[in-house]
Amino acid sequence: MKQSSDRLRQTVVLVSAILAIVGSFIGSGAAGGTPIQNASGGALAADATPIAPDGPAFGIWTPIYLGLIAYAIWQFLPAQTTDARQRTLGYPVAASLVLNAAWILSIQFDLLALSVPVIVLLLAVLIRAFHLTLASRPKNLVETIVADGTIGLYLGWVSIATAANVTAVLVAAGFGGFGISPDIWAVGVIALAGLVGVLIALSGRGRLAPSASLCWGLAWVAVARLTGTLLSTPAAVAALVAVVVILTVTVTIRIRSSSSTSTRGLVPA
């Protein structure tokens, strides 16, 4: 009976991954849908808000999706059927995949307001999955990459994407910022994203993957503010400072963590 529920979990993860990949094709416009940056009246375009990242930033989805596919296939192997770690990770990962597809559909159907609770819930699920990876160590390098690495990349990107999404919805709704300059709002939101990055580094004991994808997003926010049509030097500087702070904290903790655990096995990604 237990093994039957394990196979069900593995199947749910695999099917959810397929659903997410189909959704990504629709979201990219490859399957006839409107590209995300053009959907919902362009609310998520690079020049829509002061904290929107430039277009190339979304290339991060390629390694994230490849990692999710790899994880879905790897966890489906018989060797992982009764694995205790995969029993805890399976359903949170599956939930994140379904929520990802739901977020894309909400944008495609111009339900911009609905996208906020969906992405916030997605972020919460990924935080849960990330903390589950911290509770035990991966068995080998493959698990480190496809499970810990993928979940970390996913969490880091969705962290900055959530901030950008909420800002986009507020701007589209006509939020005036209570008379406060958009530059100040942008710096404040970016500072909050930087704080989230520091907290992830601290709680994750210097995990590289979430910091890398979060910094990737922030770096492209800086590029968009320096070279795009919506220029903002304060926002660009804030984004670059956040990148430096996150990376410094992450690397410092990583070095300390690596020295203290090097004799006990593999250091997670």
Side-chain angles (χ1 to χ4, degrees), residues 76-136:
F76 197 75
L77 298 176
Q80 317 312 325
T81 301
T82 59
D83 182 80
R85 200 167 190 252
Q86 305 320 310
R87 280 174 172 165
T88 64
L89 284 174
Y91 282 115
V93 171
S96 77
L97 290 163
V98 173
L99 286 167
N100 183 34
W103 183 85
I104 291 174
L105 289 175
S106 70
I107 300 299
Q108 287 290 329
F109 286 99
D110 292 330
L111 300 173
L112 192 60
L114 179 61
S115 70
V116 172
V118 172
I119 200 169
V120 169
L121 185 55
L122 171 58
L123 179 61
V125 168
L126 288 173
I127 290 172
R128 172 62 177 162
F130 180 67
H131 281 284
L132 287 172
T133 66
L134 299 175
S136 60

Side-chain angles (χ1 to χ4, degrees), residues 13 27 29 40 45 59 61 76 78-79 94 114 120 140 149 158 182 193 230 233 246 250 257:
V13 173
S40 293
W61 278 115
F76 197 75
L114 179 61
V120 169
N140 49 45
V158 171
L230 184 58
T233 300
I246 293 170
T250 301
S257 176

